[in-house]
Amino acid sequence: MKYVLVLFSFLWIGCQKEEQPGPNPGLPEKTLTDIAYGGQAAQKMDIYLPANRSIPTTGVIILIHGGAWTTGDKSEFTEYVDTLKRRLPGYAIFNINYRLSVGGINTFPAQENDVKAAVEFIYSKRAEYQVSEKFALLGASAGAHLALLQGYKYSSPVRVKAIVDFFGPVDMVDLYNNPASPLIPSTLVASIVGATPVSDPTLYQQSSPLNFVNAQSPPTLILQGGLDPLVAVSQSESLRDKLQAMGVVNQYFFYPLEGHGWVGANLTHSFDQVQAFLSTYLN
């Protein structure tokens, strides 16, 4: 009887091992463009799937473009996709669009909801795309705000493992009350959000990533220019300080002579940090 039980246990463990998905060395690299993740025209994404991907091993990097929530397109990140593929081979990249807030249409939280829907769509397609539950978010400016909001505010259906924040605003009340320059006046912020902090304080609170940082927040890489005319340095510093206070892993890189984005040696340096950061925390 003892022998039968041992044999049964051995066979059961063997069956369990056989059920685990393994690598797929025969899968070729694949690119899919303008894949709908919702019913709205703007709810589209481009998908770059690496060769030999598999559910256990292939990490997911979601790119979110900027544009003050009113302009911009996923094509702004397209030129950097090859750079990310070279630096981070084996990762799946999803470059998303979202609805833009224009003329009182698609005001907050439309963009937040779209990013959440995109994450849920990718998660639901893991078996089809052969990607893992290891998700990272990378955004610039308004896209970084949305990446941080998603990563800090939501843990379902997946808890994000890492966030890369290129000069994203984190405190919407401060963005309204203390514009970095006349280029982004309070009236513009109010038109984008659809309210002022006085008329709808809850909306501003719920739209500020800083308010959702806690001890379980994902590791965060922050990159900020010292001469940024749109997002004040204090926004990134506030996030850094809150992450440190909560004991959350974070890295902060400050480029004193750069503005709202940069090129050349500093951009290379930034991608060096992104590569090292995601290689460490998206595993």
Side-chain angles (χ1 to χ4, degrees):
M1 182 64 178
K2 181 179 179 181
Y3 172 78
V4 172
L5 289 175
V6 171
L7 179 61
F8 176 79
S9 297
F10 176 78
L11 292 173
W12 184 84
I13 292 171
C15 289
Q16 290 294 102
K17 289 181 178 178
E18 288 177 1
E19 290 174 359
Q20 297 301 314
N24 295 284
L27 285 178
E29 184 176 356
K30 189 173 186 179
T31 298
L32 305 168
T33 58
D34 287 327
I35 300 300
Y37 65 86
Q40 300 295 319
Q43 295 172 327
K44 300 285 180 64
M45 65 174 68
D46 295 338
I47 303 171
Y48 305 86
L49 301 173
N52 307 323
R53 58 195 177 274
S54 72
I55 293 174
T57 62
T58 302
V60 169
I61 303 171
I62 301 173
L63 307 181
I64 310 174
H65 71 82
W69 307 279
T70 62
T71 62
D73 185 83
K74 56 185 168 63
S75 60
E76 295 172 13
F77 265 136
T78 301
E79 64 178 298
Y80 301 113
V81 168
D82 284 342
T83 297
L84 289 170
K85 286 165 68 175
R86 286 195 304 270
R87 288 176 170 270
L88 295 161
Y91 290 82
I93 299 172
F94 295 78
N95 187 13
I96 73 170
N97 267 348
Y98 50 87
R99 287 173 291 170
L100 302 174
S101 178
V102 181
I105 300 173
N106 297 328
T107 56
F108 281 18
Q111 298 73 37
E112 173 188 339
N113 292 340
D114 283 0
V115 172
K116 187 172 186 292
V119 170
E120 291 172 347
F121 174 85
I122 297 166
Y123 185 83
S124 73
K125 295 286 189 177
R126 296 186 324 285
E128 178 180 339
Y129 295 147
Q130 288 290 292
V131 298
S132 74
E133 297 185 11
K134 304 168 187 175
F135 280 40
L137 303 171
L138 186 157
S141 190
H145 161 266
L146 296 172
L148 294 164
L149 197 61
Q150 172 68 33
Y152 296 159
K153 193 172 182 179
Y154 301 103
S155 59
S156 177
V158 63
R159 185 180 291 278
V160 170
K161 293 180 71 68
I163 305 173
V164 176
D165 159 28
F166 279 91
F167 40 84
V170 298
D171 184 336
M172 297 305 295
V173 174
D174 186 66
L175 189 71
Y176 178 92
N177 289 330
N178 301 296
S181 76
L183 293 176
I184 185 163
S186 298
T187 52
L188 175 60
V189 176
S191 68
I192 294 166
V193 176
T196 69
V198 173
S199 66
D200 197 339
T202 299
L203 179 58
Y204 274 75
Q205 188 274 338
Q206 288 290 307
S207 300
S208 297
L210 193 67
N211 295 329
F212 296 95
V213 174
N214 58 54
Q216 287 71 49
S217 294
T220 304
L221 172 63
I222 307 166
L223 305 110
Q224 175 69 48
L227 302 179
D228 194 325
L230 301 180
V231 177
V233 173
S234 59
Q235 292 269 339
S236 288
E237 290 177 340
S238 295
L239 177 59
R240 176 202 60 194
D241 294 347
K242 183 73 173 287
L243 291 167
Q244 290 178 350
M246 290 293 176
V248 177
V249 171
N250 70 94
Q251 297 176 15
Y252 178 62
F253 290 93
F254 181 66
Y255 302 91
L257 300 181
E258 297 291 5
H260 199 67
W262 45 86
V263 296
N266 280 340
L267 182 60
T268 299
H269 178 269
S270 295
F271 273 115
D272 288 343
Q273 307 319 309
V274 171
Q275 179 181 352
F277 183 79
L278 293 182
S279 296
T280 299
Y281 296 106
L282 190 57
N283 54 38

